[in-house]
Every structure is written in C-alpha cells, then in structure tokens.
Amino acid sequence: MTDPNHTTDRGNKIGTKRHVLTDQHGIPVSVVITSANTHDMKAATETLDSVIVERPLKKQNLCLDKGYDYPEIERESIKRRYVPHIRQRGEEKELIKLRYYSAKRWLL
C-alpha cells in the first residue's frame, strides 16, 4: 500500500485553522476555529465579532497579513472601530529587492 497523495485525494480529512486576535501583549482576545479549506477572508469578520473583552470606544490598530488583503475586510474592520494595517500583496518582493529577508511562516 502506498502513502496517500493529499494533492489528488480530496476526500481525506483536511484539518483546521485557528484564527486568533491578540492584544498588544500577545494575549488572545478572540479565537475562531474553521476548516482548513475556509478562506481567511470569510473568517475575519467572525473573528472580529467574537472578541470576549470590552473594547474602548476609541479606534484601535489592527495588523493583518497578506491573506486578509481585500477591500471587504478593510471596510468591515473600519466599521468595527479598527484602523487596518494590512500588508499588501507583492510588498514582500519589494523588500527582497532592498535586501530584507523574506518572512518565515510558522506551521504547527
């Protein structure tokens, strides 16, 4: 028997993603678990809505990676009193040209 080929065998279990919103000290204030094939854009608003602590009335900064670079997410975060700071797609290529190193992705 051979090892399963996960690129062609779509019937297997896919796994999960954890969408975590933290405060400035890294303490989680919202956690949403979705299936791994759920797009990040769809889980963003659910993560922002499930904050378990009361937020101040003033706007807060919200830093997101390239997976959230969509106009809908920017609009939704502004509606929820956040100032979005979303890394743009293609921005990393510019940093590599300037001799910065590419970001490493940590998988658990």
Side-chain angles (χ1 to χ4, degrees), residues 48-104:
L48 293 176
D49 288 340
S50 67
V51 174
I52 58 173
V53 294
E54 190 170 331
R55 294 182 47 230
L57 295 176
K58 66 178 186 164
K59 289 189 173 187
Q60 295 178 308
N61 292 314
L62 180 66
C63 300
L64 300 169
D65 65 11
K66 291 186 281 190
Y68 299 96
D69 185 20
Y70 292 94
E72 297 89 359
I73 297 213
E74 189 169 351
R75 280 193 304 269
E76 292 296 321
S77 61
I78 290 171
K79 276 201 282 189
R80 288 165 174 79
R81 297 186 334 262
Y82 287 104
V83 178
H85 302 280
I86 304 173
R87 187 167 203 139
Q88 305 296 312
R89 287 184 218 127
E91 188 175 326
E92 191 170 308
K93 292 177 185 175
E94 294 296 322
L95 293 176
I96 291 172
K97 288 179 186 176
L98 297 173
R99 294 201 166 253
Y100 289 108
Y101 296 108
S102 62
K104 302 290 185 239

Tab-separated table of all heavy atoms in Angstrom, residues 48-104:
chain	number	residue	atom	x	y	z
A	48	LEU	N	-13.372	39.040	14.386
A	48	LEU	CA	-13.525	40.375	14.959
A	48	LEU	C	-14.793	40.481	15.809
A	48	LEU	O	-14.817	41.204	16.807
A	48	LEU	CB	-13.555	41.430	13.853
A	48	LEU	CG	-12.264	41.621	13.061
A	48	LEU	CD1	-12.490	42.618	11.939
A	48	LEU	CD2	-11.138	42.078	13.969
A	49	ASP	N	-15.835	39.772	15.434
A	49	ASP	CA	-17.100	39.830	16.175
A	49	ASP	C	-17.088	39.016	17.460
A	49	ASP	O	-17.918	39.239	18.334
A	49	ASP	CB	-18.255	39.355	15.296
A	49	ASP	CG	-18.608	40.362	14.219
A	49	ASP	OD1	-18.249	41.549	14.380
A	49	ASP	OD2	-19.232	39.961	13.220
A	50	SER	N	-16.180	38.087	17.599
A	50	SER	CA	-16.191	37.208	18.770
A	50	SER	C	-15.192	37.635	19.845
A	50	SER	O	-14.761	36.810	20.638
A	50	SER	CB	-15.914	35.762	18.337
A	50	SER	OG	-14.590	35.652	17.851
A	51	VAL	N	-14.874	38.915	19.904
A	51	VAL	CA	-13.965	39.426	20.944
A	51	VAL	C	-14.647	39.269	22.296
A	51	VAL	O	-15.802	39.661	22.474
A	51	VAL	CB	-13.604	40.903	20.666
A	51	VAL	CG1	-12.792	41.482	21.804
A	51	VAL	CG2	-12.840	41.019	19.363
A	52	ILE	N	-13.925	38.702	23.274
A	52	ILE	CA	-14.537	38.380	24.563
A	52	ILE	C	-14.327	39.449	25.626
A	52	ILE	O	-14.852	39.327	26.723
A	52	ILE	CB	-14.009	37.026	25.088
A	52	ILE	CG1	-12.491	37.073	25.221
A	52	ILE	CG2	-14.450	35.902	24.189
A	52	ILE	CD1	-11.883	35.874	25.886
A	53	VAL	N	-13.579	40.492	25.328
A	53	VAL	CA	-13.375	41.577	26.291
A	53	VAL	C	-13.990	42.855	25.732
A	53	VAL	O	-14.115	43.028	24.522
A	53	VAL	CB	-11.874	41.809	26.593
A	53	VAL	CG1	-11.269	40.625	27.295
A	53	VAL	CG2	-11.101	42.136	25.343
A	54	GLU	N	-14.376	43.747	26.613
A	54	GLU	CA	-14.949	45.007	26.167
A	54	GLU	C	-13.845	45.903	25.638
A	54	GLU	O	-12.811	46.072	26.274
A	54	GLU	CB	-15.671	45.688	27.323
A	54	GLU	CG	-16.488	46.865	26.879
A	54	GLU	CD	-17.375	47.384	27.990
A	54	GLU	OE1	-17.775	46.588	28.847
A	54	GLU	OE2	-17.647	48.586	27.982
A	55	ARG	N	-14.086	46.464	24.463
A	55	ARG	CA	-13.090	47.321	23.827
A	55	ARG	C	-13.351	48.773	24.163
A	55	ARG	O	-14.499	49.173	24.366
A	55	ARG	CB	-13.144	47.133	22.304
A	55	ARG	CG	-12.725	45.752	21.871
A	55	ARG	CD	-12.722	45.583	20.377
A	55	ARG	NE	-12.074	46.674	19.712
A	55	ARG	CZ	-12.609	47.332	18.694
A	55	ARG	NH1	-13.798	47.035	18.240
A	55	ARG	NH2	-11.961	48.315	18.119
A	56	PRO	N	-12.303	49.597	24.188
A	56	PRO	CA	-12.513	51.027	24.405
A	56	PRO	C	-13.250	51.657	23.219
A	56	PRO	O	-13.295	51.095	22.130
A	56	PRO	CB	-11.092	51.592	24.529
A	56	PRO	CG	-10.195	50.556	23.994
A	56	PRO	CD	-10.906	49.248	24.062
A	57	LEU	N	-13.816	52.832	23.447
A	57	LEU	CA	-14.578	53.498	22.404
A	57	LEU	C	-13.704	54.070	21.303
A	57	LEU	O	-14.155	54.277	20.193
A	57	LEU	CB	-15.445	54.605	23.013
A	57	LEU	CG	-16.537	54.103	23.958
A	57	LEU	CD1	-17.268	55.286	24.573
A	57	LEU	CD2	-17.495	53.181	23.243
A	58	LYS	N	-12.434	54.334	21.600
A	58	LYS	CA	-11.542	54.883	20.577
A	58	LYS	C	-11.128	53.796	19.582
A	58	LYS	O	-11.218	52.603	19.868
A	58	LYS	CB	-10.308	55.516	21.212
A	58	LYS	CG	-9.402	54.515	21.901
A	58	LYS	CD	-8.183	55.183	22.451
A	58	LYS	CE	-7.239	54.114	22.993
A	58	LYS	NZ	-5.924	54.597	23.212
A	59	LYS	N	-10.672	54.233	18.420
A	59	LYS	CA	-10.221	53.289	17.396
A	59	LYS	C	-8.940	52.597	17.848
A	59	LYS	O	-8.103	53.193	18.509
A	59	LYS	CB	-9.986	54.003	16.072
A	59	LYS	CG	-11.254	54.445	15.404
A	59	LYS	CD	-10.963	54.929	14.011
A	59	LYS	CE	-12.264	55.214	13.305
A	59	LYS	NZ	-12.050	55.536	11.905
A	60	GLN	N	-8.791	51.352	17.440
A	60	GLN	CA	-7.602	50.573	17.749
A	60	GLN	C	-6.957	50.107	16.455
A	60	GLN	O	-7.629	49.936	15.436
A	60	GLN	CB	-7.966	49.355	18.601
A	60	GLN	CG	-8.486	49.715	19.961
A	60	GLN	CD	-8.869	48.471	20.732
A	60	GLN	OE1	-9.611	47.640	20.239
A	60	GLN	NE2	-8.341	48.348	21.927
A	61	ASN	N	-5.643	49.879	16.498
A	61	ASN	CA	-4.911	49.386	15.329
A	61	ASN	C	-5.170	47.896	15.158
A	61	ASN	O	-5.284	47.158	16.131
A	61	ASN	CB	-3.415	49.638	15.483
A	61	ASN	CG	-3.098	51.103	15.445
A	61	ASN	OD1	-3.591	51.824	14.595
A	61	ASN	ND2	-2.276	51.573	16.365
A	62	LEU	N	-5.237	47.473	13.907
A	62	LEU	CA	-5.445	46.068	13.571
A	62	LEU	C	-4.434	45.697	12.498
A	62	LEU	O	-4.520	46.167	11.363
A	62	LEU	CB	-6.873	45.843	13.069
A	62	LEU	CG	-7.245	44.426	12.672
A	62	LEU	CD1	-7.221	43.515	13.889
A	62	LEU	CD2	-8.602	44.397	12.008
A	63	CYS	N	-3.463	44.872	12.839
A	63	CYS	CA	-2.409	44.465	11.902
A	63	CYS	C	-2.752	43.088	11.333
A	63	CYS	O	-2.962	42.136	12.082
A	63	CYS	CB	-1.057	44.413	12.609
A	63	CYS	SG	-0.576	46.001	13.289
A	64	LEU	N	-2.790	43.004	9.999
A	64	LEU	CA	-3.150	41.761	9.316
A	64	LEU	C	-2.124	41.430	8.243
A	64	LEU	O	-1.468	42.311	7.703
A	64	LEU	CB	-4.528	41.916	8.655
A	64	LEU	CG	-5.685	42.239	9.595
A	64	LEU	CD1	-6.913	42.623	8.796
A	64	LEU	CD2	-5.987	41.065	10.484
A	65	ASP	N	-2.007	40.136	7.917
A	65	ASP	CA	-1.064	39.743	6.871
A	65	ASP	C	-1.739	39.775	5.495
A	65	ASP	O	-2.879	40.186	5.349
A	65	ASP	CB	-0.440	38.380	7.172
A	65	ASP	CG	-1.456	37.248	7.166
A	65	ASP	OD1	-2.600	37.462	6.740
A	65	ASP	OD2	-1.088	36.140	7.577
A	66	LYS	N	-1.005	39.318	4.477
A	66	LYS	CA	-1.476	39.406	3.096
A	66	LYS	C	-2.723	38.586	2.814
A	66	LYS	O	-3.447	38.881	1.883
A	66	LYS	CB	-0.368	38.950	2.141
A	66	LYS	CG	0.797	39.882	2.072
A	66	LYS	CD	1.774	39.433	1.017
A	66	LYS	CE	2.628	38.310	1.529
A	66	LYS	NZ	3.728	37.993	0.629
A	67	GLY	N	-2.985	37.588	3.618
A	67	GLY	CA	-4.174	36.768	3.412
A	67	GLY	C	-5.466	37.539	3.601
A	67	GLY	O	-6.521	37.102	3.162
A	68	TYR	N	-5.385	38.679	4.248
A	68	TYR	CA	-6.563	39.497	4.519
A	68	TYR	C	-6.603	40.749	3.654
A	68	TYR	O	-7.330	41.685	3.956
A	68	TYR	CB	-6.589	39.895	5.994
A	68	TYR	CG	-6.672	38.712	6.921
A	68	TYR	CD1	-5.527	38.167	7.490
A	68	TYR	CD2	-7.891	38.131	7.221
A	68	TYR	CE1	-5.603	37.083	8.341
A	68	TYR	CE2	-7.978	37.046	8.064
A	68	TYR	CZ	-6.833	36.524	8.630
A	68	TYR	OH	-6.917	35.445	9.456
A	69	ASP	N	-5.851	40.809	2.584
A	69	ASP	CA	-5.776	41.990	1.725
A	69	ASP	C	-6.956	42.025	0.749
A	69	ASP	O	-6.824	41.720	-0.431
A	69	ASP	CB	-4.450	41.997	0.965
A	69	ASP	CG	-4.253	43.259	0.146
A	69	ASP	OD1	-4.914	44.261	0.447
A	69	ASP	OD2	-3.440	43.239	-0.792
A	70	TYR	N	-8.120	42.381	1.272
A	70	TYR	CA	-9.340	42.502	0.477
A	70	TYR	C	-10.077	43.759	0.913
A	70	TYR	O	-10.103	44.088	2.099
A	70	TYR	CB	-10.253	41.284	0.677
A	70	TYR	CG	-9.673	40.027	0.102
A	70	TYR	CD1	-8.932	39.164	0.900
A	70	TYR	CD2	-9.832	39.725	-1.236
A	70	TYR	CE1	-8.375	38.016	0.374
A	70	TYR	CE2	-9.283	38.575	-1.776
A	70	TYR	CZ	-8.557	37.733	-0.969
A	70	TYR	OH	-8.001	36.605	-1.498
A	71	PRO	N	-10.702	44.471	-0.020
A	71	PRO	CA	-11.432	45.698	0.348
A	71	PRO	C	-12.564	45.441	1.344
A	71	PRO	O	-12.840	46.275	2.195
A	71	PRO	CB	-11.996	46.207	-0.981
A	71	PRO	CG	-11.299	45.471	-2.050
A	71	PRO	CD	-10.705	44.243	-1.455
A	72	GLU	N	-13.194	44.260	1.266
A	72	GLU	CA	-14.279	43.943	2.187
A	72	GLU	C	-13.789	43.894	3.629
A	72	GLU	O	-14.459	44.367	4.547
A	72	GLU	CB	-14.919	42.588	1.834
A	72	GLU	CG	-15.576	42.555	0.480
A	72	GLU	CD	-14.619	42.136	-0.629
A	72	GLU	OE1	-13.426	41.884	-0.358
A	72	GLU	OE2	-15.064	42.085	-1.777
A	73	ILE	N	-12.614	43.324	3.825
A	73	ILE	CA	-12.067	43.217	5.185
A	73	ILE	C	-11.705	44.595	5.709
A	73	ILE	O	-11.932	44.903	6.874
A	73	ILE	CB	-10.845	42.277	5.185
A	73	ILE	CG1	-11.313	40.911	4.780
A	73	ILE	CG2	-10.122	42.328	6.507
A	73	ILE	CD1	-10.649	39.751	5.338
A	74	GLU	N	-11.157	45.423	4.847
A	74	GLU	CA	-10.819	46.782	5.274
A	74	GLU	C	-12.082	47.540	5.689
A	74	GLU	O	-12.116	48.188	6.733
A	74	GLU	CB	-10.093	47.519	4.149
A	74	GLU	CG	-9.525	48.839	4.585
A	74	GLU	CD	-8.583	49.427	3.551
A	74	GLU	OE1	-8.239	48.744	2.575
A	74	GLU	OE2	-8.212	50.587	3.745
A	75	ARG	N	-13.140	47.446	4.893
A	75	ARG	CA	-14.408	48.124	5.229
A	75	ARG	C	-14.998	47.595	6.529
A	75	ARG	O	-15.443	48.361	7.382
A	75	ARG	CB	-15.423	47.936	4.105
A	75	ARG	CG	-15.228	48.855	2.935
A	75	ARG	CD	-16.434	48.848	2.025
A	75	ARG	NE	-16.796	47.520	1.549
A	75	ARG	CZ	-16.352	46.967	0.425
A	75	ARG	NH1	-15.518	47.638	-0.343
A	75	ARG	NH2	-16.720	45.768	0.068
A	76	GLU	N	-15.010	46.270	6.681
A	76	GLU	CA	-15.589	45.666	7.881
A	76	GLU	C	-14.796	46.026	9.138
A	76	GLU	O	-15.372	46.246	10.190
A	76	GLU	CB	-15.674	44.147	7.736
A	76	GLU	CG	-16.675	43.683	6.701
A	76	GLU	CD	-18.099	44.055	7.064
A	76	GLU	OE1	-18.472	43.983	8.249
A	76	GLU	OE2	-18.846	44.433	6.141
A	77	SER	N	-13.479	46.087	9.031
A	77	SER	CA	-12.674	46.437	10.211
A	77	SER	C	-12.868	47.907	10.581
A	77	SER	O	-12.904	48.259	11.761
A	77	SER	CB	-11.198	46.119	9.978
A	77	SER	OG	-10.690	46.860	8.897
A	78	ILE	N	-13.040	48.783	9.589
A	78	ILE	CA	-13.292	50.196	9.871
A	78	ILE	C	-14.657	50.353	10.551
A	78	ILE	O	-14.801	51.134	11.495
A	78	ILE	CB	-13.198	51.032	8.577
A	78	ILE	CG1	-11.740	51.097	8.120
A	78	ILE	CG2	-13.757	52.439	8.790
A	78	ILE	CD1	-11.542	51.703	6.753
A	79	LYS	N	-15.658	49.595	10.102
A	79	LYS	CA	-16.975	49.643	10.740
A	79	LYS	C	-16.915	49.232	12.201
A	79	LYS	O	-17.705	49.685	13.008
A	79	LYS	CB	-17.958	48.715	10.017
A	79	LYS	CG	-18.600	49.335	8.813
A	79	LYS	CD	-19.882	48.627	8.443
A	79	LYS	CE	-19.651	47.335	7.727
A	79	LYS	NZ	-20.876	46.749	7.175
A	80	ARG	N	-15.957	48.379	12.559
A	80	ARG	CA	-15.827	47.877	13.924
A	80	ARG	C	-14.818	48.685	14.753
A	80	ARG	O	-14.303	48.211	15.740
A	80	ARG	CB	-15.427	46.408	13.887
A	80	ARG	CG	-16.560	45.516	13.424
A	80	ARG	CD	-16.043	44.148	13.045
A	80	ARG	NE	-17.109	43.235	12.723
A	80	ARG	CZ	-17.757	43.208	11.562
A	80	ARG	NH1	-17.437	44.059	10.620
A	80	ARG	NH2	-18.710	42.338	11.349
A	81	ARG	N	-14.537	49.910	14.326
A	81	ARG	CA	-13.660	50.860	15.026
A	81	ARG	C	-12.201	50.382	15.096
A	81	ARG	O	-11.523	50.540	16.099
A	81	ARG	CB	-14.167	51.144	16.440
A	81	ARG	CG	-15.497	51.797	16.507
A	81	ARG	CD	-15.906	52.192	17.909
A	81	ARG	NE	-15.346	51.437	19.001
A	81	ARG	CZ	-15.959	50.434	19.637
A	81	ARG	NH1	-17.145	50.057	19.266
A	81	ARG	NH2	-15.377	49.829	20.644
A	82	TYR	N	-11.701	49.805	14.019
A	82	TYR	CA	-10.295	49.448	13.916
A	82	TYR	C	-9.652	50.312	12.830
A	82	TYR	O	-10.306	50.704	11.867
A	82	TYR	CB	-10.107	47.980	13.523
A	82	TYR	CG	-10.431	46.999	14.619
A	82	TYR	CD1	-11.611	46.270	14.593
A	82	TYR	CD2	-9.550	46.785	15.668
A	82	TYR	CE1	-11.907	45.352	15.581
A	82	TYR	CE2	-9.838	45.870	16.661
A	82	TYR	CZ	-11.017	45.159	16.622
A	82	TYR	OH	-11.299	44.266	17.602
A	83	VAL	N	-8.363	50.554	12.984
A	83	VAL	CA	-7.561	51.188	11.931
A	83	VAL	C	-6.755	50.058	11.295
A	83	VAL	O	-5.815	49.551	11.892
A	83	VAL	CB	-6.614	52.262	12.508
A	83	VAL	CG1	-5.758	52.858	11.407
A	83	VAL	CG2	-7.399	53.327	13.238
A	84	PRO	N	-7.146	49.604	10.080
A	84	PRO	CA	-6.482	48.438	9.500
A	84	PRO	C	-5.089	48.758	8.956
A	84	PRO	O	-4.876	49.788	8.328
A	84	PRO	CB	-7.423	48.026	8.367
A	84	PRO	CG	-8.150	49.263	8.010
A	84	PRO	CD	-8.237	50.095	9.252
A	85	HIS	N	-4.160	47.880	9.253
A	85	HIS	CA	-2.799	47.916	8.697
A	85	HIS	C	-2.598	46.554	8.039
A	85	HIS	O	-2.232	45.589	8.693
A	85	HIS	CB	-1.756	48.147	9.788
A	85	HIS	CG	-1.961	49.402	10.561
A	85	HIS	ND1	-1.584	50.633	10.092
A	85	HIS	CD2	-2.539	49.615	11.768
A	85	HIS	CE1	-1.888	51.560	10.978
A	85	HIS	NE2	-2.484	50.961	12.010
A	86	ILE	N	-2.880	46.484	6.742
A	86	ILE	CA	-2.852	45.208	6.028
A	86	ILE	C	-1.689	45.205	5.055
A	86	ILE	O	-1.558	46.094	4.225
A	86	ILE	CB	-4.176	44.986	5.271
A	86	ILE	CG1	-5.353	45.078	6.242
A	86	ILE	CG2	-4.167	43.640	4.567
A	86	ILE	CD1	-6.704	45.039	5.578
A	87	ARG	N	-0.841	44.217	5.175
A	87	ARG	CA	0.286	44.086	4.258
A	87	ARG	C	-0.252	43.797	2.865
A	87	ARG	O	-1.107	42.936	2.684
A	87	ARG	CB	1.190	42.957	4.727
A	87	ARG	CG	2.448	42.879	3.936
A	87	ARG	CD	3.430	41.986	4.633
A	87	ARG	NE	4.720	42.381	4.150
A	87	ARG	CZ	5.779	42.492	4.878
A	87	ARG	NH1	5.729	42.236	6.137
A	87	ARG	NH2	6.923	42.849	4.352
A	88	GLN	N	0.238	44.506	1.877
A	88	GLN	CA	-0.240	44.381	0.504
A	88	GLN	C	0.425	43.210	-0.201
A	88	GLN	O	1.576	42.879	0.075
A	88	GLN	CB	0.048	45.673	-0.276
A	88	GLN	CG	-0.514	46.917	0.372
A	88	GLN	CD	-2.022	46.920	0.431
A	88	GLN	OE1	-2.677	46.636	-0.557
A	88	GLN	NE2	-2.570	47.225	1.591
A	89	ARG	N	-0.304	42.589	-1.120
A	89	ARG	CA	0.285	41.512	-1.923
A	89	ARG	C	1.371	42.096	-2.819
A	89	ARG	O	1.199	43.160	-3.387
A	89	ARG	CB	-0.786	40.854	-2.778
A	89	ARG	CG	-1.708	40.008	-1.951
A	89	ARG	CD	-2.707	39.279	-2.830
A	89	ARG	NE	-3.960	39.294	-2.099
A	89	ARG	CZ	-5.100	39.718	-2.568
A	89	ARG	NH1	-5.195	40.166	-3.793
A	89	ARG	NH2	-6.176	39.696	-1.835
A	90	GLY	N	2.485	41.411	-2.931
A	90	GLY	CA	3.597	41.884	-3.751
A	90	GLY	C	4.570	42.756	-2.982
A	90	GLY	O	5.638	43.086	-3.481
A	91	GLU	N	4.234	43.136	-1.769
A	91	GLU	CA	5.091	44.004	-0.972
A	91	GLU	C	6.385	43.301	-0.572
A	91	GLU	O	7.434	43.908	-0.511
A	91	GLU	CB	4.324	44.427	0.287
A	91	GLU	CG	4.997	45.481	1.114
A	91	GLU	CD	4.108	45.908	2.271
A	91	GLU	OE1	2.883	45.940	2.126
A	91	GLU	OE2	4.673	46.196	3.336
A	92	GLU	N	6.306	41.996	-0.343
A	92	GLU	CA	7.488	41.250	0.073
A	92	GLU	C	8.549	41.220	-1.025
A	92	GLU	O	9.737	41.261	-0.751
A	92	GLU	CB	7.081	39.833	0.462
A	92	GLU	CG	8.191	39.077	1.147
A	92	GLU	CD	7.672	37.779	1.719
A	92	GLU	OE1	6.681	37.802	2.455
A	92	GLU	OE2	8.282	36.754	1.408
A	93	LYS	N	8.123	41.184	-2.273
A	93	LYS	CA	9.077	41.187	-3.387
A	93	LYS	C	9.899	42.475	-3.384
A	93	LYS	O	11.085	42.466	-3.683
A	93	LYS	CB	8.346	41.025	-4.712
A	93	LYS	CG	7.722	39.666	-4.888
A	93	LYS	CD	6.947	39.578	-6.167
A	93	LYS	CE	6.246	38.237	-6.242
A	93	LYS	NZ	5.388	38.129	-7.405
A	94	GLU	N	9.260	43.586	-3.038
A	94	GLU	CA	9.966	44.862	-2.951
A	94	GLU	C	10.993	44.837	-1.816
A	94	GLU	O	12.087	45.372	-1.947
A	94	GLU	CB	8.975	46.007	-2.736
A	94	GLU	CG	8.039	46.238	-3.907
A	94	GLU	CD	8.774	46.674	-5.163
A	94	GLU	OE1	9.742	47.445	-5.058
A	94	GLU	OE2	8.380	46.228	-6.249
A	95	LEU	N	10.629	44.211	-0.684
A	95	LEU	CA	11.554	44.143	0.440
A	95	LEU	C	12.762	43.272	0.118
A	95	LEU	O	13.876	43.569	0.541
A	95	LEU	CB	10.835	43.600	1.680
A	95	LEU	CG	9.758	44.502	2.274
A	95	LEU	CD1	9.058	43.794	3.426
A	95	LEU	CD2	10.339	45.816	2.740
A	96	ILE	N	12.546	42.211	-0.653
A	96	ILE	CA	13.657	41.341	-1.030
A	96	ILE	C	14.634	42.104	-1.926
A	96	ILE	O	15.850	41.962	-1.796
A	96	ILE	CB	13.128	40.060	-1.711
A	96	ILE	CG1	12.404	39.196	-0.690
A	96	ILE	CG2	14.252	39.283	-2.367
A	96	ILE	CD1	11.687	38.010	-1.283
A	97	LYS	N	14.104	42.955	-2.804
A	97	LYS	CA	14.969	43.767	-3.658
A	97	LYS	C	15.821	44.716	-2.826
A	97	LYS	O	16.933	45.060	-3.201
A	97	LYS	CB	14.134	44.580	-4.646
A	97	LYS	CG	13.514	43.759	-5.740
A	97	LYS	CD	12.681	44.640	-6.646
A	97	LYS	CE	11.926	43.815	-7.654
A	97	LYS	NZ	11.035	44.640	-8.473
A	98	LEU	N	15.302	45.146	-1.674
A	98	LEU	CA	16.040	46.056	-0.790
A	98	LEU	C	16.958	45.314	0.175
A	98	LEU	O	17.475	45.899	1.109
A	98	LEU	CB	15.044	46.918	0.012
A	98	LEU	CG	14.172	47.846	-0.819
A	98	LEU	CD1	13.129	48.496	0.078
A	98	LEU	CD2	15.006	48.905	-1.505
A	99	ARG	N	17.107	44.010	-0.026
A	99	ARG	CA	17.967	43.126	0.762
A	99	ARG	C	17.405	42.787	2.139
A	99	ARG	O	18.125	42.403	3.041
A	99	ARG	CB	19.378	43.681	0.908
A	99	ARG	CG	20.122	43.741	-0.395
A	99	ARG	CD	21.599	43.805	-0.103
A	99	ARG	NE	22.314	43.520	-1.315
A	99	ARG	CZ	22.953	42.383	-1.544
A	99	ARG	NH1	22.966	41.450	-0.647
A	99	ARG	NH2	23.598	42.189	-2.661
A	100	TYR	N	16.098	42.967	2.339
A	100	TYR	CA	15.464	42.431	3.533
A	100	TYR	C	15.169	40.969	3.243
A	100	TYR	O	14.981	40.568	2.109
A	100	TYR	CB	14.160	43.162	3.855
A	100	TYR	CG	14.367	44.562	4.351
A	100	TYR	CD1	14.061	45.652	3.559
A	100	TYR	CD2	14.856	44.790	5.625
A	100	TYR	CE1	14.237	46.934	4.008
A	100	TYR	CE2	15.045	46.074	6.084
A	100	TYR	CZ	14.734	47.144	5.279
A	100	TYR	OH	14.913	48.405	5.727
A	101	TYR	N	15.080	40.181	4.265
A	101	TYR	CA	14.820	38.764	4.071
A	101	TYR	C	13.328	38.509	4.084
A	101	TYR	O	12.564	39.217	4.703
A	101	TYR	CB	15.520	37.947	5.152
A	101	TYR	CG	17.006	38.073	5.074
A	101	TYR	CD1	17.707	38.802	6.011
A	101	TYR	CD2	17.709	37.503	4.025
A	101	TYR	CE1	19.074	38.951	5.930
A	101	TYR	CE2	19.081	37.641	3.933
A	101	TYR	CZ	19.755	38.357	4.887
A	101	TYR	OH	21.100	38.501	4.793
A	102	SER	N	12.927	37.455	3.384
A	102	SER	CA	11.508	37.129	3.311
A	102	SER	C	11.011	36.612	4.657
A	102	SER	O	11.762	36.047	5.449
A	102	SER	CB	11.254	36.080	2.234
A	102	SER	OG	11.926	34.893	2.561
A	103	ALA	N	9.734	36.807	4.897
A	103	ALA	CA	9.127	36.380	6.145
A	103	ALA	C	9.057	34.855	6.182
A	103	ALA	O	8.854	34.201	5.175
A	103	ALA	CB	7.730	36.969	6.267
A	104	LYS	N	9.216	34.298	7.364
A	104	LYS	CA	9.119	32.866	7.556
A	104	LYS	C	7.723	32.547	8.081
A	104	LYS	O	7.195	33.274	8.904
A	104	LYS	CB	10.155	32.364	8.559
A	104	LYS	CG	11.577	32.688	8.165
A	104	LYS	CD	11.992	31.876	6.974
A	104	LYS	CE	13.442	32.116	6.670
A	104	LYS	NZ	13.708	32.622	5.370
